[in-house]
Amino acid sequence: MTPTLTALLCLGLSVGVRTQVQAGTLPKPTIWAEPGSVIPWNVPVTIWCQGTLGAQDFRLDKEGSQSPWDTQPPLESGDKATFSISYMTEHNTGRYRCYYLSPTGWSQRSDPLELVVVTTYSKPSLSALPSPVVTSGGNVTLQCGSWKEYDRFIVTKEGEDKPSGALDAQPQPSGQTQALFPVGPVPPSPRWTFRCYGCYRSKPQVWSAPSDPLELLVSGVSGKPSLLTPQGPVVALGQNLTLQCRSDVGYERYALFKEGEQDLLQRPGRQPQAGLSQADFPRGLVIRSDGGRYRCYGGHNLSSEWSAPSDPLDILVAGWLRDTPSLSVQPGPTVASGENVTLLCQSSTWRHTFLLSKEGAAHPPLRLRSKFQGGQYRAEFSLSPVTAAHGGTYRCYSSLSTSPYLLSQPSDPLELLVSGGPENQLLPPVESGPQTGLKSYLNVLIGVSAAFIVLLLLLLFLLIRCRHSRRRKSGAADPEPKNRGLQSSFSPAADAQDQNLCEEKRRVALGADAAVNNTQPAEGVQLDHQSGEPPAEPSVYATTRIH
């Protein structure tokens, strides 16, 4: 056989095989890689190809290669084969397809498998806009950026083999390059964890180191928990800080989110008491970055959805600014309930805001913008009118608008004493206490009216008795018919005797009335000696005394 004929025969065989592969009717196999398609540098990789039972041979092609990359016999199962890469480098990156030979011919080629190698190139940053917390069914934007001039950015989602998206990098005025990846609508899912990578156009399968993972928290509408701290909202540098998220819903896990950050801290819930679940988030010794606004969420182990967010909690770090404002009070540190009180916080150093904090109070400090007056920057906090609840120890702080959560040193403490107690408050006390004010005046008025009515009834009774007695005596002395017209029916002697008797009984009744009315008017309420009525405008602070 001549060399020319041999060459033609080989060429014909080669074309025949390729024609069978291209026109094959057998099902295409499945291809995948372990531990994945994105492989760190120098890590071994195994490529799997699975076809149908009875396969006689498996082949692996690499895009751009003129000959099969590798050929392997089937494993014992008879329907799959493996192809090994000892060390993953950029030379092994690319797109791979596999196919198999059966007694009826070659199968179709598999879908492509793209192998990528991860290098030590500078990792980009990944963040979520506006935040990593998204409402169920809502949308969020992932921002991948770097100071390195990458040509493209790629985003991957944990648990998926293929990248979620790849976009060309866009230069920014800051000198960075970035790409924005819209995500949504976001349904509840076990995990929404993303990473992003950068690469150059000349080597699209050679990626940078991955960004830090970014997890999205999908919140729902179930009952919001409460977020608090035993140390109070104002903490000092170096102080230990712990945030507590709790709820009576009975959540089994909790997540803590700080505004402006991308990390979501998660802790399992515990039950400090029946009907209450709680998770503690210790922050350790307070540093500058602990200042900020926090929210927490509750969740159940069997559900991927989180609760509605708690009300925000602002943590303020005192001692970061070096100035120490002063705190004073007008009219003085000891005042009566109901007075107008003003706490003055001032500093000779320019500050944008002053804050007034009360020791032991759970509510956040009061904030007022500073004003320049008399060579000082100052703010006046009005407590008008004061009650016993305003009593306590106060401190004030200053802050800048650029760092609203970082405060100055605290002022010296100022103790405010409110005299008078609850009975001197504007609102009347509860029923268990002594009666005061208008209520006391009404009680006095009702008592006097009741005594006056009793007196009238008693006098009316005595008058009826006297008239009845006179008729009886008149009838006994002069038994005349009753129809005597207007003539008197009793004698002058009997009349005088009856009048004496009635006068005596009237004096007895008046004495009883005096005993009934032995009640002093309220202090500050003067009764008119002629009318027995109180003046037109009695004092609302009168009290009733019963002797």
Side-chain angles (χ1 to χ4, degrees):
M1 187 179 292
T2 63
T4 302
L5 180 60
T6 303
L8 290 173
L9 290 174
C10 291
L11 180 60
L13 289 174
S14 176
V15 171
V17 171
R18 290 184 178 274
T19 302
Q20 287 180 325
V21 171
Q22 293 172 359
T25 58
L26 293 173
K28 63 182 179 182
T30 303
I31 188 171
W32 72 92
E34 291 182 355
S37 59
V38 180
I39 311 298
W41 191 275
N42 280 340
V43 172
V45 183
T46 299
I47 299 176
W48 289 79
C49 185
Q50 183 174 11
T52 60
L53 290 174
Q56 299 173 346
D57 209 2
F58 285 87
R59 288 187 180 180
L60 184 67
D61 282 352
K62 181 182 178 184
E63 190 176 274
S65 177
Q66 296 298 322
S67 59
W69 190 82
D70 196 6
T71 301
Q72 290 292 334
L75 299 176
E76 292 182 2
S77 61
D79 64 342
K80 64 174 70 75
T82 60
F83 304 90
S84 298
I85 299 176
S86 300
Y87 302 100
M88 189 67 188
T89 65
E90 64 179 283
H91 301 292
N92 298 323
T93 62
R95 291 188 173 189
Y96 292 83
R97 296 174 186 265
C98 73
Y99 50 96
Y100 61 93
L101 177 65
S102 73
T104 60
W106 291 96
S107 71
Q108 300 181 64
R109 293 189 180 187
S110 67
D111 292 332
L113 168 69
E114 186 170 16
L115 289 186
V116 173
V117 65
V118 176
T119 65
T120 57
Y121 295 167
S122 177
K123 67 180 181 181
S125 62
L126 182 62
S127 58
L129 302 176
S131 83
V133 179
V134 57
T135 304
S136 179
N139 299 293
V140 68
T141 299
L142 303 182
Q143 177 181 275
C144 186
S146 175
W147 291 102
K148 298 282 287 186
E149 295 181 353
Y150 292 121
D151 297 318
R152 287 178 67 81
F153 290 105
I154 306 97
V155 168
T156 63
K157 181 184 176 186
E158 188 175 277
E160 295 184 356
D161 292 333
K162 296 181 179 180
S164 299
L167 292 173
D168 290 338
Q170 302 296 325
Q172 301 298 307
S174 62
Q176 280 189 314
T177 57
Q178 72 173 32
L180 301 177
F181 298 86
V183 177
V186 181
S189 168
R191 290 187 77 88
W192 284 83
T193 304
F194 295 89
R195 289 178 174 85
C196 80
Y197 304 80
C199 71
Y200 296 103
R201 191 170 288 108
S202 59
K203 297 179 179 180
Q205 282 98 19
V206 179
W207 293 359
S208 70
S211 68
D212 294 332
L214 171 66
E215 181 178 0
L216 298 183
L217 186 151
V218 185
S219 67
V221 295
S222 58
K224 65 181 181 182
S226 300
L227 182 61
L228 59 129
T229 172
Q231 293 80 16
V234 180
V235 293
L237 285 169
Q239 179 182 352
N240 270 304
L241 174 63
T242 297
L243 302 182
Q244 294 178 341
C245 190
R246 61 177 60 170
S247 174
D248 56 3
V249 176
Y251 292 119
E252 295 156 331
R253 56 182 179 146
Y254 289 91
L256 181 69
F257 169 64
K258 182 187 176 186
E259 200 171 90
E261 293 187 354
Q262 299 295 323
D263 294 334
L264 293 169
L265 301 177
Q266 297 189 28
R267 294 284 188 275
R270 59 184 181 87
Q271 289 189 333
Q273 63 187 56
L276 179 69
S277 66
Q278 174 181 310
D280 293 343
F281 294 88
R283 304 284 293 183
L285 299 181
V286 173
I287 58 176
R288 178 183 184 274
S289 60
D290 287 321
R293 174 163 291 183
Y294 295 81
R295 288 181 173 89
C296 75
Y297 302 79
H300 297 286
N301 290 335
L302 299 180
S303 173
S304 60
E305 192 173 47
W306 295 83
S307 72
S310 68
D311 292 332
L313 172 65
D314 290 345
I315 296 299
L316 307 172
V317 179
W320 179 254
L321 302 178
R322 294 185 178 181
D323 67 305
T324 302
S326 62
L327 182 62
S328 58
V329 60
Q330 293 293 334
T334 301
V335 294
S337 179
E339 285 194 55
N340 294 330
V341 174
T342 299
L343 297 177
L344 175 63
C345 187
Q346 56 186 353
S347 174
S348 58
T349 305
W350 178 83
R351 291 294 180 255
H352 180 269
T353 306
F354 287 102
L355 300 90
L356 181 68
S357 173
K358 183 184 177 185
E359 191 175 278
H363 57 76
L366 302 175
R367 285 178 176 265
L368 282 179
R369 188 167 180 173
S370 69
K371 297 180 180 180
F372 186 73
Q373 182 178 347
Q376 296 280 324
Y377 294 92
R378 53 191 291 168
E380 296 180 355
F381 296 88
S382 176
L383 306 179
S384 301
V386 294
T387 65
H390 288 103
T393 301
Y394 292 83
R395 290 177 175 84
C396 79
Y397 305 82
S398 64
S399 70
L400 298 173
S401 58
T402 54
S403 302
Y405 301 105
L406 301 179
L407 309 183
S408 68
Q409 300 286 344
S411 68
D412 291 334
L414 186 148
E415 186 174 3
L416 180 65
L417 301 176
V418 181
S419 63
E423 65 274 7
N424 287 335
Q425 297 181 18
L426 292 181
L427 295 178
V430 296
E431 290 293 332
S432 59
Q435 299 175 347
T436 61
L438 182 59
K439 184 176 180 181
S440 174
Y441 165 68
L442 292 176
N443 287 339
V444 172
L445 184 60
I446 292 172
V448 172
S449 300
F452 183 71
I453 293 173
V454 171
L455 175 61
L456 288 178
L457 292 176
L458 183 59
L459 289 175
L460 181 60
F461 174 75
L462 291 176
L463 180 59
I464 294 173
R465 288 289 303 271
C466 289
R467 296 179 69 88
H468 182 66
S469 176
R470 286 196 298 268
R471 288 176 180 177
R472 287 171 53 193
K473 292 182 180 181
S474 174
D478 188 10
E480 294 183 359
K482 296 182 179 180
N483 54 353
R484 296 179 57 184
L486 299 177
Q487 184 179 358
S488 177
S489 62
F490 54 88
S491 65
D495 183 31
Q497 182 178 0
D498 287 342
Q499 287 182 0
N500 292 335
L501 179 60
C502 289
E503 183 66 24
E504 181 179 355
K505 291 182 177 181
R506 188 178 67 83
R507 286 196 300 270
V508 172
L510 290 175
D513 175 56
V516 170
N517 287 279
N518 189 18
T519 302
Q520 297 296 329
E523 292 181 3
V525 179
Q526 299 296 327
L527 296 181
D528 189 278
H529 292 289
Q530 295 180 357
S531 64
E533 296 294 332
E537 296 180 1
S539 169
V540 296
Y541 293 103
T543 58
T544 301
R545 295 184 181 178
I546 299 177
H547 299 275

